[in-house]
Amino acid sequence: SLGSPDGFKLMPPIFDVLPADIRQRAVVRAVMFATLPPILAASVFPMYFYVLPSYFNTQVDPVVPIISAALILLLQPLSIMYGFFSTSWEPTIPQSLIGVREYLLNYHLLEANLQQ
């Protein structure tokens, strides 16, 4: 079984590629960005059923917010990937709040490594 004294490790060796502090930083950022689509999807309903009728005097078909929320939730995998790739993989370089610079750098590094 895994973790037994006969030599099997609990985690495969792929997890040893990134240092622990970088893995922790990536997980925190991925979780942070993963919460955005559910929050946006939940905010669709008050907007359609309260803001639009109250302030703009418009009515929408009830299926429109459901479809809108579902489409927003489809962004969930992309937000998790962006959270991971927007992490600074260098321990000495501080990461920015949104991580666009880090995302571009990590994307080009990944692309260059995949072309080899």
Side-chain angles (χ1 to χ4, degrees), residues 39-111:
I39 291 171
L40 289 174
S43 68
V44 163
F45 294 99
M47 183 186 73
Y48 276 107
F49 293 122
Y50 177 72
V51 174
L52 288 178
S54 298
Y55 294 104
F56 299 104
N57 200 19
T58 60
Q59 296 292 325
V60 292
D61 191 23
V63 75
V64 173
I66 294 170
I67 292 172
S68 300
L71 290 174
I72 291 172
L73 286 175
L74 287 176
L75 297 174
Q76 187 78 26
L78 293 176
S79 67
I80 293 170
M81 286 186 341
Y82 181 79
F84 181 74
F85 281 111
S86 67
T87 302
S88 176
W89 292 352
E90 293 292 327
T92 58
I93 298 175
Q95 57 187 19
S96 61
L97 181 65
I98 303 293
V100 174
R101 179 179 46 109
E102 292 88 351
Y103 175 80
L104 293 173
L105 175 67
N106 293 336
Y107 177 78
H108 291 303
L109 285 172
L110 178 67
E111 186 179 46

